[in-house]
Amino acid sequence: TPYSPHFAEGQISLQVLGKQAEKLERAAERAEESFAAATGSNGLKAEWRTVEGDLSDVLSVQARYHDLAVVGQGNPGDNVFFGGREMPDRLILTSGRTVLVIPYVGDYETIGRNVMIAWDAGPPATRAVHDALPLLKAAKKVSVMVINPKIGTYRQIKGTGDLPGADMATHLAHHGVNAEVDHVTSDLNPGDMLLSQVANKNIDLMVMGAYGHWRWRELILGGVTDHMLSHMTVPMLMSH
């Protein structure tokens, strides 16, 4: 159902609401047809569900009963009243599950062959790495990327040893994942630095934790999660 502020609900006529409901029903029918066509010939076991309610709330509840939620980034230009930019954020924060976000623009023939882990040793990043282990084990190449590491004081601040990222690479090796470690130091926005490394290394999947700080702080002051969700160029596996 379309989002509308409480102050505006009483000003929308029943006729308009009825037209909106009809439009949504037709869209659901078209989506079901596309879903059946996509899953009917590839051997996948699939189940179609039609649920009414707020987009983010509905997806969050459904995601809790599945291993992975796969969602689109959404058109950055979409009106906020129809979900738009808000949906991936809220799903990541409220579902308790791993979310794979596919960029709005581009075609992605492969996902997970060449993986980059955005590693800052925080709890969200730690969870993202462990949630991604099945994909990391299947990848041909895995890179642990640390942006602006605090060399020398990293052990006290982040608890990852004197070589940032090395502890995580060692841990991944115990799981059969041969990961290389890389760090980059720059005055650029950390999100832009990550996107630059994605392009340089031909990454087709990024794994990162979402919202290591309070979400309102990131939205107001800017943050890596918000920047990546707004400017992503490859699919991203995110956990909170």
Side-chain angles (χ1 to χ4, degrees):
T1 51
Y3 166 79
S4 62
H6 291 298
F7 67 83
E9 290 179 350
Q11 303 178 33
I12 302 176
S13 69
L14 293 178
Q15 184 178 7
V16 171
L17 293 175
K19 291 292 184 181
Q20 286 182 337
E22 292 176 5
K23 182 178 180 180
L24 289 172
E25 287 178 5
R26 290 194 298 269
E29 292 171 357
R30 291 193 299 270
E32 184 175 7
E33 293 173 358
S34 298
F35 179 82
T39 59
S41 59
N42 58 15
L44 290 176
K45 294 182 179 180
E47 175 188 359
W48 172 263
R49 297 182 183 183
T50 303
V51 185
E52 182 177 348
D54 175 80
L55 177 63
S56 299
D57 292 342
V58 166
L59 286 179
S60 180
V61 170
Q62 297 298 320
R64 292 168 192 161
Y65 309 111
H66 297 81
D67 298 324
L68 178 67
V70 182
V71 298
Q73 176 191 20
N75 184 349
D78 274 353
N79 191 303
V80 67
F81 297 115
F82 293 92
R85 170 72 177 74
E86 188 75 4
M87 189 277 290
D89 300 44
R90 288 178 58 190
L91 182 62
I92 294 165
L93 286 168
T94 62
S95 66
R97 304 300 297 160
T98 310
V99 179
L100 177 63
V101 186
I102 308 298
Y104 178 74
V105 177
D107 296 319
Y108 305 94
E109 296 181 1
T110 65
I111 297 178
R113 290 186 181 178
N114 192 6
V115 184
M116 176 184 289
I117 299 169
W119 180 242
D120 66 359
T126 301
R127 180 176 180 185
V129 170
H130 289 85
D131 288 345
L133 271 177
L135 296 175
L136 297 177
K137 292 178 180 179
K140 290 185 176 181
K141 189 175 182 180
V142 176
S143 173
V144 179
M145 177 60 62
V146 184
I147 301 296
N148 291 333
K150 294 179 174 64
I151 304 296
T153 59
Y154 210 76
R155 180 187 297 270
Q156 291 77 22
I157 294 177
K158 295 293 187 181
T160 62
D162 294 326
L163 297 175
D167 286 353
M168 176 49 69
T170 301
H171 174 66
L172 290 173
H174 295 322
H175 291 274
V177 178
N178 183 19
E180 64 177 26
V181 180
D182 200 358
H183 4 103
V184 177
T185 301
S186 172
D187 293 331
L188 294 175
N189 179 295
D192 288 333
M193 294 166 64
L194 285 172
L195 292 173
S196 176
Q197 293 301 312
V198 164
N200 292 340
K201 294 176 175 291
N202 296 316
I203 299 299
D204 64 1
L205 176 66
M206 175 172 284
V207 174
M208 67 176 289
Y211 293 114
H213 303 285
W214 289 106
R215 179 171 179 266
W216 66 264
R217 178 183 172 188
E218 289 213 11
L219 291 176
I220 295 173
L221 302 179
V224 177
T225 305
D226 188 63
H227 186 86
M228 297 301 291
L229 285 173
S230 299
H231 302 89
M232 58 193 301
T233 56
V234 295
M236 299 183 59
L237 192 78
M238 308 186 82
S239 298
H240 174 68

